[in-house]
Amino acid sequence: MSLIRYKQKRHFDETPEPKGGKGKAGKLIFVVQKHSASHLHYDFRLEMEGVLKSWAVPKGPSLNPDDKRLAMMVEDHPYDYKDFEGNIPEGNYGAGNVIVWDTGTYTTYNGDSDEKSLLAGLKKGHITFILHGKKLKGEFALIKIRGGRQENAWLLVKADDKFASKEDITTRTKSVLSDATLDKLAAKYGNEKGDIRGSKTKKKNPAKKGVTKEPDMPAPRSSSLTASGSKKKPLR
Ligand code: MN
């Protein structure tokens, strides 16, 4: 049911992304994919109800409890998305390159896999969980921003535990499934969708007919000001 939006946005004869796939009984998994779409971001995904609940995090996760990272909730992704790395061709939704930046299992804060309490937390707008990844470890929280202009806006925050650190974890750029980085994929696929933040990539082909024109992730709050501000380009 909840994959309807995911499927509507994609043409599976054009994109190598998985069509479906259901989670299996056992430990819940999480995955963080680094995605050089129109804007570089990290897709943070938690398995719940057999699908991956997903948030786009422009700056990526932080191990520093002082950092509150904006996380825009996006459509559920199929469980099989957890292994997806590669290229989403130009003209498709989310066109760009993807690596599996981190993955592992996760539990609720008390160490079990109680999906009921996770789903209740999701509904309430506050989930606490413990990640057992290769890069991300320890307790994190996702907290919905109340009264904001965008109802999908959450914050991803590290709890202050023994895994908290001031190390910038995003300097670790390699996939945890392969030796891929976004730079390597950009070279392989002959595009400019590399590791550079705020990618300078220009669209070579405008979106094809029939492709959803929505951005691959909701724009951050500030851009809605720019959009309505209709500033003229400076004259040269
Ligand atoms: Mn994405």
Side-chain angles (χ1 to χ4, degrees):
M1 271 292 269
S2 74
L3 292 177
I4 290 172
R5 276 184 65 209
Y6 174 85
K7 289 179 180 165
Q8 277 172 345
K9 290 179 175 189
R10 289 166 177 83
H11 296 281
F12 293 104
D13 50 345
E14 293 184 18
T15 178
E17 293 165 288
K19 256 187 219 172
K22 264 220 144 212
K24 292 144 198 111
K27 287 188 172 170
L28 297 171
I29 62 106
F30 83 95
V31 61
V32 184
Q33 276 147 323
K34 191 177 176 187
H35 183 188
S36 57
S38 51
H39 298 278
L40 182 69
H41 62 273
Y42 294 72
D43 288 299
F44 187 89
R45 312 189 197 279
L46 295 174
E47 178 193 354
M48 278 181 224
E49 301 181 295
V51 297
L52 302 175
K53 300 290 173 189
S54 299
W55 289 262
V57 185
K59 288 187 175 174
S62 171
L63 302 181
N64 185 342
D66 292 337
D67 291 336
K68 291 169 177 58
R69 293 286 159 89
L70 181 67
M72 301 302 294
M73 198 169 191
V74 297
E75 76 274 15
D76 293 349
H77 279 53
Y79 179 79
D80 286 355
Y81 212 90
K82 68 184 176 52
D83 305 312
F84 177 70
E85 277 194 338
N87 175 255
I88 302 168
E90 276 298 321
N92 286 277
Y93 180 73
N97 301 323
V98 177
I99 61 162
V100 176
W101 182 81
D102 197 17
T103 191
T105 60
Y106 84 98
T107 61
T108 50
Y109 69 92
N110 54 5
D112 62 28
S113 299
D114 179 7
E115 285 193 71
K116 263 192 189 161
S117 76
L118 288 163
L119 289 164
L122 194 71
K123 222 175 167 185
K124 263 194 341 213
H126 193 139
I127 330 170
T128 322
F129 48 89
I130 297 168
L131 300 181
H132 307 277
K134 294 194 169 106
K135 292 172 180 151
L136 302 179
K137 294 176 201 294
E139 189 178 332
F140 285 78
L142 271 164
I143 303 151
K144 196 171 180 179
I145 301 175
R146 302 263 167 218
R149 233 181 293 177
Q150 286 170 297
E151 57 175 292
N152 303 332
W154 294 59
L155 295 172
L156 176 64
V157 191
K158 177 81 195 73
D160 197 359
D161 59 14
K162 67 174 178 181
F163 297 107
S165 159
K166 295 211 162 139
E167 177 204 347
D168 179 2
I169 194 73
T170 63
T171 60
R172 295 173 61 182
T173 55
K174 227 187 208 180
S175 161
V176 293
L177 297 188
S178 67
D179 66 351
T181 60
L182 288 180
D183 278 345
K184 281 191 185 170
L185 293 189
K188 180 175 172 185
Y189 293 107
N191 57 39
E192 295 162 28
K193 306 250 178 176
D195 261 312
I196 302 157
R197 184 156 290 168
S199 160
K200 295 168 207 153
T201 312
K202 280 182 189 163
K203 278 204 173 142
K204 280 170 194 158
N205 306 310
K208 285 177 200 165
K209 206 179 159 192
V211 169
T212 321
K213 282 196 180 157
E214 276 175 85
D216 61 292
M217 58 163 287
R221 215 181 283 200
S222 57
S223 70
S224 59
L225 293 172
T226 336
S228 58
S230 65
K231 271 191 188 165
K232 281 181 188 170
K233 278 187 185 168
L235 297 169
R236 277 182 224 197

